[in-house]
Amino acid sequence: MDCLFCKIANKEIPVELLFEDDLVVAFKDIKPIVPIHILIIPKEHIESVADMSDKHETLAGRMIMVAKKLAEQFDIAGGGYKLLFRVKSNGGQEVPHVHLHLLGGGKMSENIRVA
Ligand code: AMP
Ligand code: ZN
């Protein structure tokens, strides 16, 4: 499977993993848009949230809980942060493997417009 995030999850591409368990891995975004920008991804290849089904309920919950714990670890939980799933083309998703963005380290503007 020629998927960048699968390669990161199965360690074909070495990146510093901030977290790993049976279902997910987390690592720093290569082009951070805020001071703390972390991606939480499933080990399983799923293209987008739109491709998830009820069997992925545990996985979906795990991704959010891992993001919450990383926010605490990186000391952004008190002030707050943003969790973002971009979904397919209209949502601005560029990498076709589900990923949850953990964004923090300052006050963020909304910046959501339909082009
Ligand atoms: P999205 O637009 O939601 O699909 O976000 C994809 C994100 O993946 C972007 O924020 C990219 O900066 C990030 N990204 C792309 N390649 C890598 C990589 N090799 N390591 C870490 N993050 C990456
Ligand atoms: Zn993949």
Side-chain angles (χ1 to χ4, degrees):
M1 167 85 62
D2 195 25
C3 168
L4 176 64
F5 284 1
C6 279
K7 286 180 180 161
I8 289 176
N10 66 31
K11 295 164 186 148
E12 274 175 66
I13 295 175
V15 304
E16 185 200 347
L17 294 185
L18 303 172
F19 180 86
E20 176 174 17
D21 68 10
D22 54 326
L23 293 179
V24 307
V25 299
F27 51 92
K28 287 192 177 151
D29 196 290
I30 203 165
K31 276 195 210 157
I33 57 169
V34 286
I36 306 291
H37 188 171
I38 295 170
L39 301 175
I40 299 98
I41 71 168
K43 287 185 168 177
E44 177 187 349
H45 180 80
I46 308 165
E47 279 200 19
S48 78
V49 170
D51 301 295
M52 293 172 83
S53 61
D54 287 349
K55 73 174 184 195
H56 296 116
E57 197 171 305
T58 301
L59 170 65
R62 183 75 60 84
M63 292 175 78
I64 293 170
M65 290 312 292
V66 168
K68 174 209 144 62
K69 287 170 190 164
L70 285 166
E72 287 161 4
Q73 198 179 313
F74 280 79
D75 220 20
I76 55 171
Y81 49 90
K82 188 182 293 205
L83 297 180
L84 174 66
F85 282 109
R86 295 197 177 100
V87 183
K88 299 178 72 171
S89 173
N90 283 356
Q93 184 180 358
E94 289 186 349
V95 176
H97 179 128
V98 170
H99 47 283
L100 174 59
H101 295 258
L102 166 60
L103 301 162
K107 184 97 180 145
M108 278 163 277
S109 61
E110 271 310 318
N111 198 24
I112 296 169
R113 305 262 187 283
V114 173

